[in-house]
Amino acid sequence: MSRLITRRRFLVGSALTASAMGLSGCDALVESDRTKSVLKIAERFSMKTQRFLLGDAALAREFTEADLSPVFRSNGTSMPDNPQYLDWMSRQFSTWRLDVGGLVEKPSQLSLAQLKAMPSRTQITRHDCVEGWSAIGKWTGLPLGALLQSVGLKPEARYIVFHCADEYEKTLDGSGWYYESVDLVDAFHPQTILAYSMNGRDLEVAHGAPLRLRVERQLGYKQAKYLTRIEAVADLGQLYGGNGGFWEDRGYEWYAGI
């Protein structure tokens, strides 16, 4: 276990260093095509190395209730300001629906009550933020893999994209809306869940109500909040900046494994 913890800390530190390039005086370097190409190669190598060493199904460390953090900071947006979300919130999310579509056999719209009626998983895990802080929380939700099995993925589906209700930047092309993505390995990992509960209570708005992604083997910016739509796709290149996520379109790594 100590070797895994040491490796986890090393990978978190590496991700922080890489991400810091895009937040410091290295912007010109990060924006160069040659540097982007090198970073892409390094990212693919990191993903393949991690999965080779740990295996596709290796679990992130889980903790006990005694380990829960007394304070769990909110990452990213703490209150979406778009009218649709505010209306859902005013109705206790009774009219909210999760759209599941793209390359699936049975496109669906699911209410929060329907999601809660499905088999669930509870896990106590550590959230590692790229900003350098960590916190341990207890999450309950529907395993993403079970949902995907229920709608049936088409053979050409390779990635699962998560669209969110928080708009980070006002843009004409919609690229300012938060979104994230994972491949099918992480989508079907047992600890990848669509969480509707934190520490035994329904999600608070600051933590992503009514539904957020928990993909426990990756850094915090992958844990998309305020989910509205899940889309199965064959290629990430046609989405917004083409890199598979809001922050990835702005220089972060797509694979944020820890």
Side-chain angles (χ1 to χ4, degrees):
M1 178 63 72
S2 62
R3 290 179 62 190
L4 290 178
I5 295 173
T6 300
R7 181 179 178 280
R8 184 181 179 93
R9 288 174 178 165
F10 168 76
L11 287 167
V12 172
S14 299
L16 288 170
T17 300
S19 298
M21 291 177 65
L23 299 174
S24 66
C26 300
D27 288 351
L29 176 62
V30 173
E31 288 301 315
S32 76
D33 290 340
R34 183 173 183 179
T35 300
K36 288 180 180 178
S37 177
V38 171
L39 290 175
K40 289 284 187 184
I41 293 171
E43 180 184 341
R44 289 195 295 270
F45 176 76
S46 174
M47 179 175 68
K48 290 179 179 179
T49 300
Q50 178 177 4
R51 289 179 174 172
F52 174 77
L53 292 174
L54 299 180
D56 290 349
L59 300 178
R61 180 182 177 185
E62 296 193 15
F63 298 82
T64 69
E65 293 201 2
D67 300 310
L68 290 174
S69 298
V71 176
F72 198 115
R73 291 172 55 182
S74 160
N75 64 307
T77 302
S78 59
M79 172 63 80
D81 62 0
N82 78 77
Q84 176 67 83
Y85 183 84
L86 296 175
D87 181 68
W88 287 329
M89 187 175 66
S90 72
R91 302 171 189 270
Q92 289 76 54
F93 300 105
S94 62
T95 57
W96 170 91
R97 297 292 184 270
L98 177 69
D99 288 327
V100 184
L103 297 174
V104 300
E105 299 293 347
K106 296 183 290 185
S108 303
Q109 284 193 333
L110 299 166
S111 69
L112 187 58
Q114 287 175 304
L115 294 173
K116 288 183 175 182
M118 297 179 184
S120 65
R121 175 186 172 90
T122 296
Q123 56 202 31
I124 301 177
T125 53
R126 191 175 74 192
H127 178 105
D128 288 305
C129 182
V130 73
E131 295 176 343
W133 59 269
S134 298
I136 294 173
K138 178 180 177 181
W139 308 94
T140 298
L142 167 68
L144 175 60
L147 176 62
L148 296 177
Q149 288 177 333
S150 72
V151 298
L153 289 180
K154 293 185 177 181
E156 58 269 35
R158 294 182 58 206
Y159 302 95
I160 307 301
V161 181
F162 306 90
H163 300 273
C164 306
D166 49 333
E167 188 176 18
Y168 259 61
E169 297 176 1
K170 302 294 183 182
T171 61
L172 295 177
D173 62 358
S175 62
W177 292 91
Y178 204 90
Y179 79 106
E180 260 302 342
S181 62
V182 297
D183 65 9
L184 297 187
V185 171
D186 276 318
F188 283 92
H189 187 273
Q191 289 175 315
T192 300
I193 66 173
L194 303 177
Y196 45 71
S197 170
M198 177 183 175
N199 295 343
R201 300 183 298 274
D202 285 348
L203 281 179
E204 298 176 357
V205 170
H207 290 293
L211 195 71
R212 71 175 294 167
L213 174 67
R214 294 301 307 175
V215 51
E216 302 296 354
R217 300 195 303 176
Q218 299 207 38
L219 287 169
Y221 64 87
K222 300 294 290 189
Q223 324 296 326
K225 304 195 299 185
Y226 314 114
L227 297 182
T228 60
R229 182 162 60 98
I230 293 177
E231 179 184 14
V233 301
D235 178 30
L236 297 174
Q238 304 305 310
L239 293 166
Y240 304 119
N243 297 295
F246 176 87
W247 286 116
E248 290 87 330
D249 288 342
R250 291 154 179 81
Y252 279 45
E253 293 183 347
W254 175 76
Y255 184 72
I258 49 178

